[in-house]
Amino acid sequence: SDIPGVDRANVSNLLFIFSFSGMEFSLTFLALDKFVYGPGNNAVLLSFAGLTMAMVQGGLIRRLAPRYGEARLATVGLVTIIPGLVVTGLSQNESMLYGGVFLLAVGAAIFIPCVRALTSLYAPADRQGEVLGVFNSLGALGRASGPIVAGTAYWKFGAATAYCAGAVFLVLPLILSLGFPKPDKSE
């Protein structure tokens, strides 16, 4: 793209979605393998993650974004997700599992709306549809390919390796996020 910041936001989102969707796909396997979770326990775990995300997105983001900016918050989201993947993948008890999932949910709830907002803020009004269409298409690519790669890694190498590899992989979008330009909000 010829619009400053858009490519960086798009690639960051693609890499994030690739890694995060792999975790989402394999989380119930991890919970079953390590803690013998059935449908009920997994429903509670996923509800916990969903409620955490809803509270962060609904309560914190709109207050924090004007104060700190979406670029800085997107970075904070990634910094929160990385240890969440490690703790989840290495969890030895349910407290660690829930702690890791909490970090994952908080980080995703921060990163996702902030990187989407940045992409929108970077795009001029007459190119919003084009820019957000590419953003969503790349997200769909990550969501389709992430579970295949993460699932293969999970079954071949185990949860710890798959989740820690996902955490290492997220260093790439983290580095990209450090260079997000400040959006021009005057348009």
Side-chain angles (χ1 to χ4, degrees):
S1 167
D2 57 341
I3 306 167
V6 168
D7 289 340
R8 189 172 286 267
N10 280 340
V11 173
S12 294
N13 187 58
L14 168 64
L15 297 174
F16 162 77
I17 294 290
F18 176 85
S19 182
F20 194 79
S21 66
M23 176 281 306
E24 287 178 316
F25 175 77
S26 63
L27 182 61
T28 55
F29 300 135
L30 180 147
L32 172 66
D33 291 344
K34 288 192 172 199
F35 307 108
V36 196
Y37 273 23
N41 294 99
N42 275 318
V44 171
L45 179 64
L46 296 174
S47 295
F48 168 74
L51 289 171
T52 300
M53 290 181 77
M55 288 189 300
V56 171
Q57 284 183 352
L60 284 179
I61 296 301
R62 67 174 172 212
R63 290 187 188 109
L64 295 177
R67 181 180 297 164
Y68 299 106
E70 291 85 356
R72 186 179 301 167
L73 289 176
T75 301
V76 168
L78 290 168
V79 166
T80 306
I81 292 167
I82 291 170
L85 282 169
V86 173
V87 170
T88 302
L90 299 177
S91 60
Q92 298 299 312
N93 56 54
E94 290 179 284
S95 296
M96 282 182 74
L97 176 65
Y98 271 83
V101 168
F102 176 78
L103 291 173
L104 291 166
V106 168
I110 295 170
F111 179 80
I112 293 168
C114 288
V115 76
R116 179 178 298 280
L118 280 172
T119 304
S120 176
L121 290 168
Y122 292 150
D126 64 337
R127 295 188 60 194
Q128 289 280 313
E130 169 197 346
V131 168
L132 291 173
V134 170
F135 177 87
N136 288 331
S137 295
L138 289 171
L141 176 63
R143 191 161 291 287
S145 56
I148 294 167
V149 173
T152 302
Y154 183 92
W155 293 113
K156 190 164 181 86
F157 304 110
T161 300
Y163 278 66
C164 289
V168 170
F169 186 77
L170 283 180
V171 171
L172 297 171
L174 175 61
I175 291 167
L176 288 171
S177 77
L178 295 172
F180 283 149
K182 186 174 171 77
D184 179 13
K185 296 184 182 185
S186 64
E187 292 185 29

